[in-house]
Structures are given as C-alpha cells and as structure tokens.
Amino acid sequence: AQTVTQSQPEMSVQEAETVTLSCTYDTSESDYYLFWYKQPPSRQMILVIRQEAYKQQNATENRFSVNFQKAAKSFSLKISDSQLGDAAMYFCAYRSARSGNEKLTFGTGTRLTIIP
Amino acid sequence: EAQVTQNPRYLITVTGKKLTVTCSQNMNHEYMSWYRQDPGLGLRQIYYSMNVEVTDKGDVPEGYKVSRKEKRNFPLILESPSPNQTSLYFCASSPNEKDTQYFGPGTRLTVL
C-alpha cells in the first residue's frame, strides 16, 4: 500500500520569504500522480499543484513550484514570496495512474503560518 | 459554475439516528469519492464510485453506505451514527482516474 509522509507538522515563514514543505512517499508503482492541496481556515480543499511521475520537469504554478525527486520518492513544495493568504494547512497526496480506484492517499499535513 | 456541493454543511446529531449527507457535482464527472478528515490523520477514503451503480469500499468504510443512482449525486448514509464518526467529511469528483479531484466544501458532523 502506498503511504505519504509529511514530517513537518508546522512551519512558519516571514512574509515575502521562501519556504519549502517536505513530502516523501512510498510506492512500488512507476506511474502515478502527486498533488499538493491547500486547506485554508474555510476548510475548502484547493489544488495547488499537480505532478505526473513520468514527467521529469518539475511543475510550477506562479509562486508555487515543486522539487520532484522520483528515485528518492520525494515531492517538496516551494512557496516563493510568501503572502498572508498562503497561511493554511498543506497536504501532499498520491494517486496511482492505474485504472480503477481514483483514491488519493494523503499525508497528515503541514500547518503553515505566515509572519507579517 | 463548475462545483461540488454538499449538504448540510454542519450537522449535530445523536447516536443511532440515521442521517444522509448529500453530494452533487455539475461537471458530468464519472468518479466520485467520500473522505473523512480527522486531526493528525489527514484525509482517508470511505467509499468511491467509478460510475452509476458502481461503488466500492475505500480504506475506512465501516459504518457507512453509499449509492450512485444518478451520475451527479453520491450521497453518504450513516445508518446508525456513533461518536467515532464525528469528523469533517469531503466529497470529491474527477472526470477520470487521470485527472485532478475537485472537492466539495466539507460537512462538519458531530455525533453526541
């Protein structure tokens, strides 16, 4: 079974600085998808970024980028120029590319605080 | 607007009183799932559905039922709720297994 580990329960960063959230995963599959979801105080789950395992290029969405290391099974999220609105719980998630159950396997989350 | 809706958003009930949490999506997605979120555990899948009349268990199905009679709706049924089902519940949908899952706003359930 796949597992996702987020070893940082809490992180904080000064506004306008850069922060990196860590995520590692365990799988025997070679084709899969990785995601970062943001959960602000409103509790809505918002997709931040998506990475396809067969693509070597790291995904980027504006101030958000990932460092995807397939051999190391590592998928970290970098937030540049942190803003107050980035304060949230961040979840890393894995999804197999096999047909069938489209379950997301989530990590336990990292709570990010932005210091003004 | 493309969205996943859930009702109710908040519910307080008592042990043993049957309840249903509705989920509806307007994106014609084939795949729908239910998750529960508990502190320190992240989100865990309860049930999923790959299409109308096709449902299966996720990781934590005990105490829950689902049905998929129409493509857009995927209700979660708690026949006899217990306090350990107090949680935040999310419904999600996606076009297929390769696409991103879109989440509803969540339902906060408290079972006394």
Side-chain angles (χ1 to χ4, degrees):
Chain A
Q2 293 83 16
T3 58
V4 177
T5 302
Q6 294 179 251
S7 58
Q8 306 154 315
E10 296 183 353
M11 293 278 287
S12 60
V13 63
Q14 293 275 66
E15 193 176 0
E17 296 296 310
T18 296
V19 64
T20 298
L21 308 184
S22 302
C23 173
T24 58
Y25 58 95
D26 188 25
T27 183
S28 59
E29 299 177 338
S30 59
D31 197 11
Y32 48 86
Y33 304 93
L34 295 165
F35 305 85
W36 279 98
Y37 279 90
K38 170 185 177 181
Q39 188 179 44
S42 66
R43 304 177 315 186
Q44 178 73 48
M45 293 292 286
I46 302 166
L47 177 69
V48 175
I49 203 162
R50 174 178 182 263
Q51 175 78 43
E52 299 175 27
Y54 61 86
K55 288 187 178 179
Q56 292 189 340
Q57 186 173 5
N58 289 325
T60 299
E61 288 287 342
N62 300 315
R63 297 182 295 106
F64 299 87
S65 61
V66 297
N67 183 4
F68 173 47
Q69 302 288 330
K70 191 171 184 179
K73 296 180 183 175
S74 171
F75 183 60
S76 61
L77 175 69
K78 185 172 82 170
I79 306 174
S80 304
D81 186 24
S82 298
Q83 301 176 359
L84 294 177
D86 296 333
M89 196 77 164
Y90 286 82
F91 291 97
C92 178
Y94 169 102
R95 184 181 190 183
S96 170
R98 285 183 295 116
S99 293
N101 185 11
E102 24 75 75
K103 176 180 76 171
L104 284 164
T105 299
F106 284 87
T108 52
T110 297
R111 184 171 302 281
L112 178 64
T113 300
I114 310 296
I115 303 167
Chain B
E1 179 190 354
Q3 60 182 352
V4 180
T5 57
Q6 293 179 229
N7 282 292
R9 296 288 310 280
Y10 303 89
L11 179 60
I12 301 174
T13 189
V14 295
T15 298
K17 185 176 182 181
K18 181 179 179 180
L19 67 91
T20 299
V21 183
T22 65
C23 173
S24 183
Q25 49 93 5
N26 62 0
M27 296 170 280
N28 201 36
H29 286 172
E30 290 189 349
Y31 293 85
M32 298 185 76
S33 288
W34 275 102
Y35 294 86
R36 61 177 287 173
Q37 182 181 5
D38 301 292
L41 296 177
L43 283 79
R44 295 175 293 167
Q45 189 188 51
I46 303 170
Y47 267 95
Y48 67 96
S49 170
M50 290 189 282
N51 215 323
V52 175
E53 303 291 1
V54 180
T55 64
D56 207 348
K57 298 176 180 178
D59 294 327
V60 288
E62 294 77 20
Y64 305 93
K65 286 176 57 177
V66 293
S67 68
R68 188 94 180 272
K69 292 182 169 49
E70 304 168 284
K71 198 171 187 178
R72 64 183 292 130
N73 296 323
F74 190 43
L76 179 69
I77 303 157
L78 285 72
E79 296 259 350
S80 182
S82 62
N84 65 12
Q85 293 178 297
T86 292
S87 188
L88 178 59
Y89 291 87
F90 287 98
C91 180
S93 72
S94 65
N96 54 58
E97 67 271 19
K98 296 186 184 302
D99 266 286
T100 301
Q101 291 197 16
Y102 297 91
F103 283 81
T107 295
R108 169 72 70 187
L109 173 65
T110 301
V111 184
L112 302 175

